[in-house]
């Protein structure tokens, strides 16, 4: 595994678990507003954390931690993701996967082997708007297949969208709701970060709480199930 970083403890990223988060390097999307821009590309070996070091850390936390979040970047790009998950589960820990849903073949194998306890899929926009929201087009059938697999195969799951001024207009937000159709969907507010890839968004504003709620209401009008604002 190409591990770019470790968050030693999180109490909010994996519901009902005390977890750590491992961030994998590399992503097949180029969201211009990404808050993890420094790990989107292929990092040099001397900037990566070895699996040995990660599992040494994990073994030191087995008395306090109950889960591991695998995030990125995009974890499903890693060719050794499944053996990595198996090693984690062999230690009695639950596994949550954060994914952009562009590799449904990997999701299908993970679910077939019952290796994932919780999945969070980031849905950037309706498929026709992925060029603007994610920096690259993604065929609708790929996103639809991942959503279908998650709903059918994940023990627990959620969908997430980060709403970004200049990208997520009311019309695009309505299109996203019509595409996704049902939740649970958690709405997150864009936050600029030093390593945000695009200069346009490095110092851009976030939505105000009122603006974010208005967009969430648009989603609620086009979807069923839970639609909740997670961060203002």
């Amino acid at each position: 595994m190409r591990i770019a970083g470790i968050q030693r403890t999180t109490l909010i990223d994996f519901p009902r678990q005390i977890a750590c988060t491992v961030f994998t390097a590399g992503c097949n999307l180029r969201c211009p507003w990404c808050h993890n821009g420094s790990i989107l590309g292929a990092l040099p070996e001397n900037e990566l954390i070895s699996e040995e070091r990660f599992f040494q850390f994990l073994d030191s936390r087995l008395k306090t931690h109950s889960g591991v979040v695998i995030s990125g970047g995009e974890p499903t790009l890693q060719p050794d993701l499944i053996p990595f998950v198996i090693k984690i589960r062999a230690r009695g820990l639950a596994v949550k996967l954060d994914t952009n849903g562009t590799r449904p073949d990997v999701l299908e194998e993970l679910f077939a082997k019952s290796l994932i306890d919780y999945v969070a899929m980031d849905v950037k926009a309706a498929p026709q708007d992925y060029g603007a929201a994610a920096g690259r087009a993604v065929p609708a059938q790929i996103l639809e297949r991942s959503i279908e697999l998650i709903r059918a195969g994940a023990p627990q799951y959620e969908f997430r969208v980060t709403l970004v001024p200049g990208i997520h207009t009311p019309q695009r937000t309505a299109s996203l709701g019509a595409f996704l159709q049902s939740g649970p969907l958690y709405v997150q507010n864009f936050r600029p970060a030093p390593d945000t890839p695009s200069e346009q968004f490095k110092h851009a504003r976030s939505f105000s709480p009122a603006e974010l709620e208005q967009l969430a209401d648009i989603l609620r009008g086009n979807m069923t199930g839970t639609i909740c604002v997670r961060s203002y």
Side-chain angles (χ1 to χ4, degrees):
M1 288 286 284
R2 297 182 63 80
I3 300 172
I6 301 170
Q7 182 182 10
R8 292 175 175 270
T9 302
T10 175
L11 302 178
I12 61 174
D13 293 309
F14 194 159
R16 295 174 294 281
Q17 306 288 347
I18 299 172
C20 68
T21 302
V22 55
F23 297 93
T24 62
C27 187
N28 54 349
L29 300 182
R30 286 297 180 269
C31 303
W33 46 268
C34 180
H35 67 282
N36 276 344
S38 62
I39 65 171
L40 295 182
L43 297 181
E45 292 295 327
N46 63 354
E47 293 184 18
L48 297 174
I49 297 169
S50 69
E51 266 196 43
E52 180 183 10
R53 181 178 161 195
F54 168 71
F55 282 110
Q56 286 175 348
F57 157 76
L58 195 60
D59 288 341
S60 74
R61 296 297 192 275
L62 293 180
K63 292 183 179 179
T64 57
H65 287 41
S66 55
V68 175
V69 179
I70 306 176
S71 190
E74 175 48 43
T76 59
L77 298 177
Q78 304 290 325
D80 48 356
L81 175 62
I82 287 175
F84 185 72
V85 173
I86 290 172
K87 291 177 187 176
I88 294 171
R89 293 184 66 89
R91 289 162 164 81
L93 299 171
V95 177
K96 173 176 177 271
L97 178 71
D98 291 346
T99 181
N100 61 24
T102 57
R103 295 290 306 277
D105 54 324
V106 177
L107 292 177
E108 187 168 22
E109 187 172 0
L110 286 164
F111 296 150
K113 296 179 185 295
S114 300
L115 293 176
I116 299 296
D117 300 283
Y118 198 112
V119 176
M121 176 176 164
D122 289 294
V123 186
K124 313 295 183 178
Q128 66 269 23
D129 297 322
Y130 258 64
R136 291 177 180 170
V138 178
Q141 59 266 32
I142 288 179
L143 298 172
E144 289 166 350
R145 179 60 177 153
S146 289
I147 290 167
E148 174 187 316
L149 286 166
I150 289 168
R151 285 177 170 151
Q156 297 181 76
Y157 67 90
E158 66 183 58
F159 301 105
R160 306 185 298 204
V161 59
T162 300
L163 296 180
V164 186
I167 291 180
H168 293 95
T169 63
Q171 182 178 358
R172 283 177 171 168
T173 303
S175 295
L176 169 60
F179 168 70
L180 196 54
Q181 296 185 357
S182 65
L185 175 66
Y186 290 91
V187 176
Q188 303 173 160
N189 204 356
F190 161 74
R191 299 288 180 201
D195 60 352
T196 296
S198 169
E199 288 297 325
Q200 176 187 352
F201 293 101
K202 235 181 243 294
H203 305 288
R205 74 179 187 93
S206 305
F207 282 117
S208 70
E211 290 172 322
L212 206 64
E213 283 293 348
Q214 287 173 352
L215 293 176
D217 282 341
I218 290 173
L219 290 166
R220 294 181 185 113
N222 287 272
M223 297 176 62
T224 60
T226 300
I227 296 92
C228 180
V229 177
R230 177 169 278 163
S231 68
Y232 291 101

